[in-house]
């Protein structure tokens, strides 16, 4: 009787990849067609299966360059914009953040960017440098050099409310960019939005959703009662887009909008999508030395607790750590 040696028995064997593995190995394939059929919950679950699949999903579904090319024209300009974000702490929010994470496109939507007072002039210089023209509002001076010092003055009493110092409109052809200047920190404005479904931001290094389960799975949003114009109009716009507005937070403390559950940006309820890294050089612009590789900080101290039942924001310190795990760990909001 013929027997196999131990060496032969335990020798490594060639195993052919499965059809699924070969599909995800394709350099060119119908990945976008497949991914477009998946819900956000299914897509995130798929991303947990392997690093290879996760990288492919990020590349196909969450390409920030494709999102921003409409406003900045070329991939090179998009990269320069992201470098400006890195150097100034500028963040994207509003409908564009929601569109990016939800893989949707709303017609005629503007790009809303939020910046602190100290670095607003640098963001304006960038926008003008790539061809955008400032369009003054009715209450603003027609001369930008005269209006800007007024808007940046600590004594300027803005009529806009919700932590906004002023809004500057820029146009280039049919495209519009709104530069929203924060009185304290940009996140102070984000947390005063009309509801939780629009509390999503895109930094230079990551896209972040504060309430992903309710926003993308339940299609629900908690109403935030804050002072300011056009809150009801904003809510109705998202009701028309399919979101249900909730007047009260969940009574379940173990949910992302539970009653007084301790929350912070980057916690297990947060959904964080990493963006392609920029150069590792330390950001340095006009005397500022900002290490933006792993965190985003402000020049004011703002303390922040994400408690939607009370929304108590102490404007003394805010820090948002956006470090992304290198391994595809499953976030707690995907059940």
């Amino acid at each position: 009787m013929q027997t196999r040696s131990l060496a032969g028995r335990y020798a490594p064997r060639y195993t052919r990849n499965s059809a699924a593995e070969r599909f995800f190995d394709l350099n060119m394939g119908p990945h976008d067609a497949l991914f477009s059929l998946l819900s956000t919950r299914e897509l995130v679950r798929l991303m947990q299966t392997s690093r290879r699949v996760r990288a492919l999903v990020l590349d196909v579904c969450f390409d920030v360059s494709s999102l921003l090319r409409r406003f900045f024209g070329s991939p090179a300009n998009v990269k320069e914009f992201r470098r400006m974000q890195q150097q100034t702490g500028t963040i994207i929010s509003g409908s564009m953040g929601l569109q990016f994470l939800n893989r949707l496109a709303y017609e005629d939507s503007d790009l809303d960017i939020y910046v602190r007072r100290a670095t607003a002039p640098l963001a304006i210089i960038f926008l003008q440098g790539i061809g955008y023209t400032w369009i003054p509002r009715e209450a603003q001076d027609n001369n930008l050099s005269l209006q800007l010092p007024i808007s940046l003055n600590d004594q300027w009493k803005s009529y806009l409310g919700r932590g906004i110092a002023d809004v500057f409109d820029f146009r280039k052809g049919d495209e519009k960019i709104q530069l929203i200047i924060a009185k304290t920190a940009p996140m102070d404005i984000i947390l005063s939005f009309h509801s939780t479904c629009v509390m999503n931001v895109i930094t230079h290094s990551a896209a972040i959703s504060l309430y992903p389960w309710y926003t993308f799975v339940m299609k629900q949003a908690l109403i935030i009662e804050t002072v300011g114009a056009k809150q009801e109009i904003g809510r109705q716009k998202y009701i028309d887009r399919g979101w249900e507005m909730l007047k009260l937070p969940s009574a379940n403390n173990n949910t992302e909008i539970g009653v007084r559950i301790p929350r912070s940006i980057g916690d297990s309820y947060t959904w964080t999508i990493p963006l392609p890294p920029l150069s590792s050089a330390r950001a340095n612009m006009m005397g500022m030395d900002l290490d933006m590789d792993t965190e985003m900080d402000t020049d004011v101290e703002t303390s922040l607790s994400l408690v939607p039942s009370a929304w108590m924001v102490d404007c003394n310190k805010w820090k948002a750590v956006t470090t992304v795990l290198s391994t595809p760990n499953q976030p707690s909001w995907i059940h």
Side-chain angles (χ1 to χ4, degrees):
M1 184 175 75
Q2 186 176 9
T3 60
R4 295 180 59 192
S5 67
L6 290 178
R9 185 182 305 173
Y10 295 106
R13 299 180 182 178
Y14 172 78
T15 303
R16 185 179 180 183
N17 290 339
S18 67
E21 289 175 316
R22 293 198 303 276
F23 173 80
F24 289 117
D25 273 338
L26 292 176
N27 292 325
M28 297 291 291
H31 302 123
D32 53 347
L34 170 65
F35 297 153
S36 67
L37 300 175
L38 301 180
S39 67
T40 300
R41 184 183 187 185
E42 293 168 334
L43 193 68
V44 173
R45 281 176 165 172
L46 180 63
M47 292 172 67
Q48 312 311 313
T49 58
S50 73
R51 292 173 185 251
R52 177 193 304 161
V53 173
R54 181 173 183 263
L56 182 62
V57 171
L58 291 177
D59 184 55
V60 173
C61 299
F62 301 106
D63 181 4
V64 73
S65 183
S66 295
L67 176 80
L68 299 177
R69 203 172 299 151
R70 166 186 153 195
F71 298 95
F72 301 112
S74 67
N77 282 347
V78 170
K79 187 172 290 187
E80 288 306 312
F81 169 74
R82 293 182 59 211
R83 286 202 179 97
M84 185 275 288
Q85 283 188 278
Q86 183 183 30
Q87 294 167 340
T88 62
T90 299
I91 60 177
I92 299 169
S93 192
S95 67
M96 200 58 65
L98 182 64
Q99 290 176 66
F100 181 69
L101 288 165
N102 211 22
R103 298 170 291 148
L104 294 175
Y106 299 138
E107 293 184 3
D108 302 324
S109 57
D110 305 329
L111 178 65
D112 296 340
I113 60 176
Y114 297 76
V115 64
R116 47 195 170 128
R117 283 175 169 170
T119 55
L122 304 178
I124 290 173
I125 290 171
F126 171 82
L127 293 177
Q128 291 181 320
I130 60 171
Y132 275 86
T133 301
W134 177 57
I135 309 298
R137 296 188 166 201
E138 184 176 348
Q140 294 174 330
D141 195 291
N142 289 332
N143 190 324
L144 178 59
S145 62
L146 296 178
Q147 179 59 46
L148 188 57
I150 297 173
S151 302
L152 301 182
N153 193 312
D154 288 340
Q155 305 304 316
W156 168 245
K157 295 187 182 299
S158 172
Y159 65 93
L160 296 167
R162 305 197 301 278
I164 299 174
D166 212 343
V167 178
F168 285 72
D169 296 330
F170 291 87
R171 283 196 176 274
K172 182 180 179 181
D174 295 331
E175 304 304 340
K176 178 181 178 182
I177 295 179
Q178 283 194 319
L179 179 75
I180 298 97
I181 302 174
K183 289 181 179 179
T184 55
M187 281 303 296
D188 190 16
I189 301 175
I190 309 305
L191 292 173
S192 298
F193 280 163
H194 55 72
S195 61
T196 56
C197 67
V198 284
M199 293 183 183
N200 314 285
V201 300
I202 303 175
T203 73
H204 77 280
S205 60
I208 304 166
S209 176
L210 302 184
Y211 300 95
W213 176 261
Y214 277 82
T215 301
F216 302 111
V217 179
M218 301 296 292
K219 294 284 286 189
Q220 294 176 330
L222 180 66
I223 293 175
I224 308 302
E225 298 290 353
T226 54
V227 177
K230 300 181 179 179
Q231 297 283 66
E232 286 300 329
I233 296 175
R235 292 189 195 107
Q236 187 58 51
K237 179 167 64 175
Y238 285 94
I239 291 174
D240 294 341
R241 289 172 175 172
W243 273 269
E244 175 190 357
M245 293 291 160
L246 305 177
K247 293 184 178 180
L248 295 174
S250 170
N252 182 355
N253 285 337
N254 195 33
T255 67
E256 60 190 22
I257 59 172
V259 177
R260 297 192 177 277
I261 182 174
R263 290 290 314 277
S264 62
I265 298 173
D267 64 11
S268 61
Y269 291 98
T270 306
W271 183 24
T272 303
I273 293 291
L275 302 180
L278 296 169
S279 62
S280 59
R282 197 176 181 86
N284 192 355
M285 179 180 279
M286 293 185 65
M288 295 182 298
D289 192 13
L290 307 175
D291 186 3
M292 308 295 282
D293 288 336
T294 57
E295 67 181 21
M296 179 172 55
D297 207 347
T298 64
D299 57 345
V300 295
E301 298 194 346
T302 305
S303 137
L304 173 64
S305 176
L306 299 182
V307 185
S309 57
W311 289 103
M312 301 180 62
V313 179
D314 176 10
C315 296
N316 289 321
K317 184 175 178 67
W318 173 69
K319 179 179 288 187
V321 178
T322 60
T323 303
V324 180
L325 295 177
S326 58
T327 54
N329 294 336
Q330 179 162 311
S332 68
W333 64 274
I334 292 296
H335 303 311

